Amino acid sequence: MSSLMDSVRAGRTAEVVSLLDEMTDAERRSLFPELKALRKELRTAPWEAESRRAHPPLYAAGVACQTGAAGVAAWIAASDMGWAPTSPALLLRLLGDRPAEWIADVTHRLAQRPPSSGVPFELMAGLVRLSGCPVPTTEAYVRGWVEYTDRTWQRGGTVLGRLRPDPHLAQLVAALFETHDIGGRLEWGAAEGPDSWTGALAGLTAEGVLDRKVMVDACVSRLLRGGTAADHRLFLRLLKLLELSRGEERERIGDWQALASDAVSPVASHAQSVLGSLALDGELTSGQLAEMSGAVLFRTEKKLVRAQLVLLGKILTRDASSAQELLPAVAQAFGHEDSDIQERALKLVERHLKKAESADVRAELAAAAGQLIPALRARAVQSLGAEQAAPEPLVYEEVLPPAPEPVRSAPAPESVVELAEEVGVLMASEGDVPTFERALDGLVRHAHRDRGALLDALTAVVTRRWWNSTDTEYVLHPDDHFSRVNGVFNAADGLDLLLATLRGRVRTATLLGSVQRGRTVQGCVHSALSRAFDARLWEVAYRLQTEPLPFLLSTPTWSTGLLEPDELVARLDEYRRLGARVSAADFAQALLRVRRTDRAAAAEAAERATALGTTEGARLARWLTHQGPDLPANRSRTSGDRILVECGELPELQEDFPPEFRPLGRPVSVDRTRWYCHHWDEGIRQHWLAVLPERRELVAMRMLRDLSTVAVDDARGAAAFLPPLAESGGEAGEAVHLCLAYGLGARHPEDRLAAVDALLTLAARGQLDAARLGTDLGQLVRRGAVKPLRLAESARTAATTGANATIWEMLRHTLPVLLAELATNSRTASARGLGDLLEVAAECAERSGARGELPHLAQTAQRRSSSRLVSQARRLRSALTLEAAA
């Protein structure tokens, strides 16, 4: 027995198989406990040559020495067995002498495993051949079959040629239609022809190898069921390649109607074209066409709606008797969100109204006209006999979301076990400002109280950190790493520094050097914020090693980073009582966070701070009663397509502050050379806001170029900074509004949505200067930094929440800049999408009851054109000049 285990450990797979062949079933079973013990041992062993050698023979021996189908399947599919698997051919040899029923059981158990288990398809297919069992149609088996078919391209031929002789082709193809998200995998390789999956399946259907009716029904059913975009693309392409006959299309009218109603746009467009062709050939009744039209006209895709109106126009022109059923269907477009579609529908009804002889139909059309925009509704009064709306005083009420309120931060955990759990979660998830500050303060407090208990509780957390590894061959020593990096990349890095210090992995000299010299690397516009954030962490780490702090002075009271002045005075008093030496960086951060906007509370706290009789108390009192400007003088500057903001010095942030905090008060220049920037982690930016929670304008200036990339460079993600910026404190000045303007013009929807959230937050707090924002947007659109179509999407999203007056006030200052260019023909780039922007402005003006003149609007509205831009300009002019009801 020992010789077999020795062979397994030595990695001699052939020798192990030879020994297994000579054993009885009972002898094999008796070996299995030793194999399990070796497997357990290898799980925790270093990944070195010895363990790599042992895995293949262990894998084979474990399969051969078990008699239960469930156990064998679990052994084969185990994740640790996949590190060095045995070839499928060898496993088939080891299992080939088992009963067919037993092999079939193993086969189906393996096929039921998720695809991530990595069970080789060659093994499952070989077991099917050995047992003669029905082919499994599970996701793992089907995906394995697809990958195997693609992988055998080296043998030559095409996908069609490799599929044709497969004995299980019909069952596996049927399973393709039931496998979720298979489209992306089938799209790999050729896009069309016999070497593509769609081309191969269509070719096999044409040859009669696959049943045509089954394939067509499966395609239509798969599209009806929905799924991923890749699934829709693939199965729609296959359906088109099958080239349905008119009879096959006629048999599925109900399916086409369902697809035109609910499917994604490409599928709905195909279904619409099939139904349109049937309708033009007289294969659809008026009732069926009206039912289909009611569903399609309800959709938001303008292309589909316009195509349906064109189809209805053709049918109404051919068959006057269809007007009774089709005109009410057309009138459903009166309520569409796009006013151009409303106008198209109204024109179509007006053109064919005489064909509708029924008074009930005419009354239904007149009633539906109430959904039209005001200008079209007035026209419908004349053409359709709609009732004139009774004059009522217009009362509009702006609906804004409730302004978010800051949340009081919870104190640090009292238990080291609870703290360790929170630190572990924070390291994995990055967390928010309150969570990070709570954990930071907790580490400081418990290190001061009982360092040993804290280290014991943190054992499970630190064992998974990179710096706790003993593998010196592959991992840089923590002390070398922390001494070389140019700052803290994210909040987890800061906690890593403290945890490594607590574990003794960072030398005191390294910590002292960083405290004394600071971060020597100069550079990007963010460096002032990052240096201040880093300085506190390095000094806290140094004090953990030399003179632990009892607690942090700078832990914020509120979720935004603000610290109440009376709370800071109380903390300084406790420091005085304990005789603790204050950390300079921690105290500097506390000063930057302390709330000074409530002058009465600040003055009262200043008196108490003076009474402490300490240096820090006197410094706090001077800070709380300081009367100088909170922000430096600034001005906007252009840089390429961008508009940026630069500012001068703010002496208040340089006097009596540690060196690492003084750059916060130094000038910000647009033209300054930009060195390499390593601040790629967006999670750190919320912590920068908490460095200056009452001076968000200073933070916004340093973040402005980053925010501009979402609009100018089509970058993704930077606008996530905008909602916290809007919830922060201090003046919302030029930099904040420019950040918001770039976010509203972002390339990606999630960035635009973040900007809309920030806009509504500022508006709800009464801090939005809509005129300034609108003017900035006009200049950015004119310069090409913001595209009108993207801005229109953002403005429409904000308006749909009920902020019509706010958005109108913004666009009222954006549009004149763009219309002036249009009037002088000096530039036409910004005209693309201007019609959509005018449409949003018109909707907001109609809903809010805005009136008055808009510069250059009349010249645009008077143009002889039926373009969207001109039609929406006329609509806006009508809304602004419509006399207010008495």
Side-chain angles (χ1 to χ4, degrees), residues 54-197:
H55 267 90
L58 174 63
Y59 193 180
V63 170
C65 294
Q66 296 185 75
T67 56
V72 170
W75 186 276
I76 291 173
S79 58
D80 58 329
M81 290 291 101
W83 292 347
T86 303
S87 69
L90 179 56
L91 295 180
L92 290 172
R93 175 191 164 187
L94 293 171
L95 297 173
D97 59 350
R98 307 291 180 96
E101 296 81 2
W102 186 93
I103 297 176
D105 190 5
V106 171
T107 304
H108 286 277
R109 287 179 184 275
L110 290 174
Q112 290 292 338
R113 295 275 175 167
S116 58
S117 297
V119 178
F121 172 76
E122 295 90 331
L123 173 62
M124 292 187 287
L127 293 172
V128 169
R129 289 193 301 271
L130 286 174
S131 66
C133 66
V135 63
T137 54
T138 62
E139 182 180 4
Y141 196 92
V142 173
R143 288 186 179 277
W145 171 65
V146 169
E147 292 171 5
Y148 177 78
T149 303
D150 285 339
R151 196 166 59 242
T152 53
W153 63 269
Q154 299 96 330
R155 302 177 187 176
T158 61
V159 171
L160 186 150
R162 294 193 290 273
L163 289 177
R164 187 184 286 115
D166 193 321
H168 306 294
L169 180 64
Q171 299 96 310
L172 292 173
V173 169
L176 280 178
F177 293 94
E178 304 298 326
T179 304
H180 176 68
D181 198 19
I182 194 65
R185 182 62 187 80
L186 296 181
E187 283 183 330
W188 292 2
E192 55 186 22
D195 204 30
S196 69
W197 276 87

Side-chain angles (χ1 to χ4, degrees), residues 254-327:
D255 294 332
W256 304 129
Q257 288 179 320
L259 290 172
S261 172
D262 298 322
V264 296
S265 289
V267 177
S269 178
H270 176 71
Q272 182 188 42
S273 67
V274 172
L275 289 171
S277 178
L278 290 170
L280 291 172
D281 289 347
E283 302 282 356
L284 284 188
T285 65
S286 297
Q288 289 174 320
L289 182 56
E291 180 184 354
M292 167 211 176
S293 300
V296 174
L297 295 177
F298 187 74
R299 297 182 67 116
T300 58
E301 299 95 327
K302 298 172 187 177
K303 182 179 179 181
L304 292 177
V305 176
R306 285 195 294 266
Q308 193 66 21
L309 291 175
V310 170
L311 173 63
L312 289 169
K314 291 179 180 179
I315 300 297
L316 286 167
T317 301
R318 286 186 179 188
D319 183 8
S321 64
S322 64
Q324 295 290 112
E325 291 184 277
L326 296 186
L327 285 182

Side-chain angles (χ1 to χ4, degrees), residues 327 330-331 334 345-353 365 384:
L327 285 182
V330 174
F334 288 174
L346 180 58
K347 286 181 179 179
L348 187 57
V349 170
E350 289 172 338
R351 188 181 306 126
H352 299 282
L353 182 62
L365 296 174
L384 303 184

